[in-house]
Amino acid sequence: MLHTRTMRLKKYPPSAMRNLQSINGSIGRMAIILLGPPGAGKGTQARKLGARYNYPRISTGDMLREAVRKETVLGKKARHYMEAGELVPDGLVDAIVKARVKRKDCVRGFILDGYPRTIHQAEFLKRIIDSKELKILAIGIRVRNDILLDRLARRWTCPRCAKIFSGVSGPSSGRSRCDECDSLLVHRKDDSASIVEERLQVYHEATEPLIQYYQSRGFYVEVDGERPVDKIYRAMTGLLGRKSDRHSTVA
Ligand code: ADP
């Protein structure tokens, strides 16, 4: 039966509601895509959802940053695109996602944070998802540009475990270490004002069309990302249903 909180979401088309119905009932195995501009909170929510539903979080940004840090072949190719706030070529990103989802922990499903970012990537992902027979839901996080700019200027990141800290809990408030792994927090180079502008433009041009892409297929729902983290999280879990519903389908 459809979850009551989901029932209130009358604005979604019947196809999206059917999709949600199957999610809330027998969840089966699914791919959750978090869509939103830089600073929307995809990473924070993906971590929370991953912990709740026991799904791995797949962040292309984190994987690429690690490759850059380790100076791998991929890292060397990706570095200058990332530093400029541009997208890394589809072929490179598709390859790392393909390799990552082959791992055992992705059999039940996964949460994608930062992928897909282009229609080409969405088509590539579709083939992966079809071959794994996963259900799919894209959750858009809506945040206005001025709020994003402010958040990114105050964002601190753990270079080791990639946990994100907002200004209130970052070094400016006397807290300069990650509360998970104790590494020194950093302000990402691409969070500087000029690069952020480029990233937002790239988002609007290349990634925003994915909203229409998933909407037209009935796989899209949206949450207001300007509320406190926990409220956004509750809105998402309201959409996704309770953990127990989902686990009842797992062998
Ligand atoms: P944010 O969501 O805050 O912009 P990410 O950590 O997801 O940051 O991405 C950082 C950078 O990594 C992007 O600006 C881009 O250069 C690269 N990147 C990450 N994911 C992708 C992707 N799916 N396609 C192309 N480039 C990507």
Side-chain angles (χ1 to χ4, degrees):
M1 200 175 50
L2 199 57
H3 196 282
T4 46
R5 267 177 292 177
T6 308
M7 296 281 284
R8 284 191 222 122
L9 299 166
K10 294 208 174 79
K11 63 181 174 174
Y12 296 117
S15 48
M17 293 307 285
R18 268 198 306 279
N19 204 34
L20 283 170
Q21 190 162 14
S22 58
I23 290 161
N24 280 302
S26 63
I27 175 67
R29 300 155 39 198
M30 77 173 313
I32 299 168
I33 298 166
L34 295 188
L35 266 184
K42 301 184 297 292
T44 302
Q45 297 298 337
R47 276 170 184 277
K48 288 172 80 72
L49 293 173
R52 170 157 181 165
Y53 297 116
N54 197 21
Y55 277 1
R57 177 182 76 108
I58 300 180
S59 160
T60 43
D62 286 353
M63 290 191 286
L64 289 167
R65 271 185 293 280
E66 195 186 351
V68 169
R69 194 164 47 81
K70 291 185 172 161
E71 299 184 354
T72 64
V73 175
L74 167 70
K76 285 180 185 158
K77 287 184 185 159
R79 183 182 190 136
H80 71 274
Y81 296 103
M82 296 175 75
E83 287 182 349
E86 292 165 12
L87 292 184
V88 171
D90 288 333
L92 295 178
V93 188
D94 290 343
I96 56 173
V97 171
K98 189 175 177 186
R100 178 65 186 85
V101 300
K102 272 194 185 143
R103 280 167 47 186
K104 230 178 169 180
D105 61 345
C106 291
V107 168
R108 277 187 55 238
F110 41 83
I111 301 179
L112 290 162
D113 161 11
Y115 184 93
R117 264 173 148 101
T118 62
I119 299 283
H120 168 95
Q121 291 177 14
E123 290 286 316
F124 186 85
L125 176 66
K126 183 182 180 306
R127 290 194 289 278
I128 294 179
I129 286 174
D130 286 349
S131 71
K132 286 177 160 284
E133 297 182 359
L134 296 171
K135 291 172 194 155
I136 182 168
L137 186 71
I139 306 180
I141 310 180
R142 202 172 1 95
V143 182
R144 280 166 297 172
N145 267 12
D146 52 339
I147 295 180
L148 296 170
L149 290 169
D150 182 58
R151 281 188 190 173
L152 291 168
R154 295 185 301 114
R155 175 162 91 169
W156 293 85
T157 310
C158 174
R160 186 140 159 235
C161 70
K163 191 167 173 181
I164 295 156
F165 297 81
S166 71
V168 284
S169 58
S172 55
S173 65
R175 161 84 124 354
S176 59
R177 289 189 177 271
C178 176
D179 61 11
E180 297 272 330
C181 70
D182 207 38
S183 300
L184 270 181
L185 302 179
V186 296
H187 187 61
R188 264 170 51 183
K189 270 193 202 157
D190 64 345
D191 279 349
S192 68
S194 58
I195 305 298
V196 161
E197 258 176 49
E198 171 68 19
R199 285 162 64 205
L200 283 175
Q201 197 176 331
V202 167
Y203 170 78
H204 292 305
E205 281 169 13
T207 308
E208 218 164 37
L210 291 178
I211 294 177
Q212 172 63 26
Y213 176 92
Y214 286 117
Q215 219 160 26
S216 66
R217 287 159 177 79
F219 295 149
Y220 183 77
V221 291
E222 198 170 76
V223 295
D224 171 2
E226 295 182 6
R227 294 171 294 169
V229 168
D230 280 337
K231 284 210 167 144
I232 301 166
Y233 171 67
R234 277 200 294 276
M236 289 186 177
T237 53
L239 292 169
L240 287 163
R242 297 243 162 248
K243 185 179 181 181
S244 54
D245 290 346
R246 303 165 55 102
H247 276 195
S248 63
T249 65
V250 177

